[in-house]
Each structure stands twice: as C-alpha cells, then as structure tokens.
Amino acid sequence: MLTDRFNRIHDYLRISLTDKCNLRCSYCNPPDLLKDHFKGLRRMTAQEIDQIVCAFVKEGVKKIRLTGGEPLVRKDTPEIIERLSKYPVEVAISTNGVLLHNYVDIFTKAGIRSINVSLDSLKREKFFAITKRDEFNLILNNIYLLLQNDFRVKINVVVMKGVNDDELNDFVSLTKHLPLHVRFIEFMPFSGNAWSREKVFSYQEMLHHISTKYQFMKLEDSQHDTDKKYLVPGHEGAFAIISTMTQPFCGRCNRMRLTADGKMKNCLFSKTEMDILSALRKGNDIIPLIKQCVWMKEEKLGGQIKTMYGELDTTKINNRSMIHIGG
Ligand code: SAM
C-alpha cells in the first residue's frame, strides 16, 4: 500500500499519455509555451506504461485515469487501453471530446464506463474564443453519443470571471433532462497561464450565482471526492464544484500523477518530480522510487500554496503548465 507521512493511502493514478492537444485553451496550453513535445524516446511507450502500471497495481492502485494533453490524439491509445484493461483496476478517461466518436467501441470493449469531457462554454463562438478551434458542435454530438451508449458522463467546466461565469445556469439547466454531472472548476495557476485572483470565480460565488435561478440541495460526497455535489430537485443530472483554490481537499487526497515523459508527481502542485521512466529503462526496481515519492508528499497543495488564494504570488510557484503535467 502506498502511504504518505500523513497516513493518506494512495490508490489512484492519473497518467498523462501525451502533452499534445488538438485544442489551444490558453489557461492550460499557454500560447508562448515552448512547444517542446515529449517526442520519440522522451515519451513513455505503451509497453513502458504497462510495466509502470503493473508496479503501481502491485502497490494497491485501484483506479487509473488517462489524461493529457489530449489522451485520444495519441495513435497507440487503443493499445494502451487494451493493455490496461487486463488489470483489476477501474480505468477512466478525461478528454476534450473531439475524437470520442472513434472510441465508443474501444471503451466498451475495455469495460470503460465513465468519461469526463471538458467543455467551458455552451456557445459556439465563445467556445472558439477559448479553444481557438471550431469543434463545439462535434463535441456536443459526442456527448450525446456517449449518453446514448449509457456511459456515465461528467462535464468539466473551468470557470473564469468575465469569460464564462455567466453560463453556470445554462450548464445547470442541461442537467434537467440529461443524466449529466456538470463540474465547475475554480481556475488554477500554472506556469505561463496568466492566472490572477481577479479571474477566479470562487466556490461561494458559484453557489450564489446558481441560487439566483435554482434551489438546490447538497448531496453526500464520497471519501476521496474532489468535487462538492449538489442536486436541483427534479433534475436528472447533478452539478458539483471543485474548489481547489478557496477550499482545497488535500486531507483526503489519494492521487498520484505520471507525466507523459515518465515523471511521477505526488501532487498537481508538487515542485519535485521522480524520474520513474529513466529508472525503468536502466532496469532498476521502480517500486522503491514510487514509495519514496508518495512518502515525500507535502500536506497541502504541494507545499507551494500556503496563503489564501487572494494573496498568492504566482511568480513563486515552481511547476509545469497543466498541459505538460496532465490534468
Ligand atoms: N484534454 C483532456 C481534457 O480536456 O479533459 C485532459 C487534460 S485537461 C489538462 C484536464 C482538465 O484540466 C480539463 O478539464 C481542463 O479544463 C482542466 N484544466 C486545465 N488547466 C486548468 C486550470 N488552469 N485551472 C483549472 N482547470 C484546468
């Protein structure tokens, strides 16, 4: 079992398959970011991912989420999914939805039932302004396609003040007749993503905004949930808020991350990384490194965000951009 100094058990691994993406959201994939993709030998192969997962599963991992970049752009993603389906773990995917129509059968065959789709606007023009790609209609159709095929679908919305904070109730109204779980995410700071506290639309502001149109009730959250769930009575779906900035949930964190270039991070905001891939390639046992990385985990937000978010100085945060870490 992978346990840290604060007795938190870690059984959930998020693997970034690539740092490439077919959208260009500047909060995740900043325009002036050095486009130094993990190509060729720098990136974990399907076989290496399989070997690394095998070690994590031996140490008690029960859930794996494939993410990126955009995990579905990688050509051998079907092979990776097939390899992971042989492990006794739940496999889930986070995707921007652009390529989902190619994957319904692959997911079904591998027993994947839960898909998170990112969608920051329900307006085609605004979606284009955020992502620089005209893929809104395709993504919406792909969300319907997943629902028709009985997948559990969560929609991730990064809420930014002055950008899409006026659309929260449109997303909530989507849950009236569709069994969707919409999750509103507070905007987080990463390298080069022009974060500022003025752009954060906080958990409390979101609840207040939604209360101007809907009455809602709190749902019970499970032990490791990062989202705080709510239901509008009579709606088929639900909504939730991920309050990383104003009410972090580190006390119940069970997550570890592996970047596409094979570095392990014990927290989204961790300063340090453990080079698992190089050790694997040298033929070393990677389990002691994995254990050490978990053990060194800081109590809260990678030890980097100690003040209230309003006083945060992002120039002092040492981290990669989200697209390089894997969301
Ligand atoms: N391409 C996939 C997708 O779109 O879901 C997976 C990777 S993406 C980095 C994972 C999630 O991180 C997305 O929901 C994205 O919106 C979110 N994300 C990226 N940058 C963020 C930021 N600065 N603050 C909050 N969430 C962010």
Side-chain angles (χ1 to χ4, degrees):
M1 214 144 55
L2 297 166
T3 311
D4 72 4
R5 294 172 289 167
F6 306 96
N7 279 325
R8 293 174 293 201
I9 293 171
H10 289 69
D11 56 7
Y12 179 12
L13 177 66
R14 299 170 71 98
I15 304 177
S16 173
L17 296 188
T18 174
D19 63 339
K20 286 190 184 161
C21 188
N22 40 4
L23 298 182
R24 292 288 179 275
C25 315
S26 60
Y27 62 81
C28 179
N29 186 2
D32 48 0
L33 188 75
L34 189 62
K35 296 286 183 276
D36 172 29
H37 291 302
F38 309 141
K39 279 185 279 199
L41 272 179
R42 285 186 63 201
R43 197 178 68 174
M44 296 183 290
T45 64
Q47 194 191 350
E48 286 165 342
I49 292 172
D50 191 342
Q51 287 172 285
I52 293 174
V53 164
C54 183
F56 274 98
V57 172
K58 268 190 202 148
E59 292 306 310
V61 161
K62 296 195 176 63
K63 179 170 176 183
I64 290 175
R65 176 171 297 282
L66 301 181
T67 180
E70 170 49 38
L72 305 190
V73 300
R74 190 169 153 159
K75 296 230 162 32
D76 58 357
T77 293
E79 181 194 339
I80 294 167
I81 289 173
E82 200 202 321
R83 282 173 177 268
L84 299 197
S85 69
K86 68 176 188 266
Y87 291 103
V89 292
E90 178 193 345
V91 179
I93 313 266
S94 288
T95 171
N96 58 33
V98 174
L99 296 172
L100 270 173
H101 49 282
N102 297 326
Y103 275 85
V104 170
D105 291 343
I106 294 165
F107 292 160
T108 305
K109 200 166 151 225
I112 295 175
R113 301 309 306 154
S114 173
I115 311 288
N116 290 2
V117 184
S118 300
L119 183 66
D120 295 334
S121 176
L122 291 171
K123 296 175 182 154
R124 186 176 166 188
E125 302 74 34
K126 197 188 287 181
F127 177 87
F128 181 79
I130 295 171
T131 65
K132 321 291 179 300
R133 298 291 184 271
D134 189 16
E135 303 284 18
F136 175 75
N137 290 336
L138 177 60
I139 294 169
L140 204 59
N141 284 338
N142 279 341
I143 290 171
Y144 291 131
L145 180 67
L146 289 181
L147 292 176
Q148 279 156 14
N149 284 276
D150 293 325
F151 285 91
R152 290 189 300 278
V153 183
K154 293 181 184 167
I155 306 287
N156 284 339
V157 186
V158 178
V159 184
M160 290 160 286
K161 220 176 241 179
V163 176
N164 57 352
D165 55 324
D166 57 337
E167 288 196 54
L168 266 64
N169 287 329
D170 297 339
F171 278 102
V172 175
S173 79
L174 258 194
T175 67
K176 187 167 170 63
H177 299 297
L178 295 174
L180 288 171
H181 285 238
V182 176
R183 308 190 318 159
F184 300 116
I185 307 176
E186 287 179 346
F187 180 32
M188 297 183 279
F190 292 98
S191 181
N193 80 346
W195 181 93
S196 74
R197 65 174 177 269
E198 291 77 23
K199 292 186 197 153
V200 176
F201 200 59
S202 71
Y203 174 28
Q204 289 309 325
E205 287 174 305
M206 293 191 210
L207 285 185
H208 175 73
H209 182 91
I210 297 167
S211 74
T212 60
K213 179 157 180 197
Y214 290 105
Q215 287 194 327
F216 48 82
M217 52 188 270
K218 182 80 191 71
L219 294 173
E220 209 169 306
D221 301 318
S222 343
Q223 196 194 356
H224 297 299
D225 283 348
T226 52
D227 55 355
K228 299 173 177 70
K229 300 182 187 56
Y230 295 85
L231 178 76
V232 177
H235 281 211
E236 270 198 58
F239 75 88
I241 298 174
I242 302 185
S243 57
T244 316
M245 300 312 299
T246 62
Q247 279 190 40
F249 27 80
C250 306
R252 47 181 199 269
C253 185
N254 64 339
R255 283 145 204 258
M256 304 163 284
R257 290 166 193 271
L258 194 60
T259 62
D261 58 346
K263 310 282 189 321
M264 181 178 168
K265 281 176 80 77
N266 54 24
C267 170
L268 188 54
F269 293 103
S270 67
K271 239 188 257 183
T272 55
E273 301 179 344
M274 182 68 84
D275 189 352
I276 301 291
L277 182 59
S278 298
L280 182 85
R281 285 181 178 168
K282 283 184 199 142
N284 297 341
D285 181 5
I286 58 172
I287 289 181
L289 299 181
I290 294 171
K291 284 186 171 164
Q292 191 191 341
C293 185
V294 173
W295 186 253
M296 296 314 293
K297 181 162 175 154
E298 299 281 350
E299 187 173 13
K300 209 173 135 190
L301 298 173
Q304 297 216 69
I305 303 181
K306 291 183 178 141
T307 55
M308 286 294 291
Y309 84 98
E311 290 138 34
L312 194 62
D313 178 359
T314 51
T315 58
K316 300 218 166 80
I317 297 182
N318 180 358
N319 207 353
R320 306 199 208 190
S321 63
M322 185 66 131
I323 193 157
H324 279 153
I325 300 169

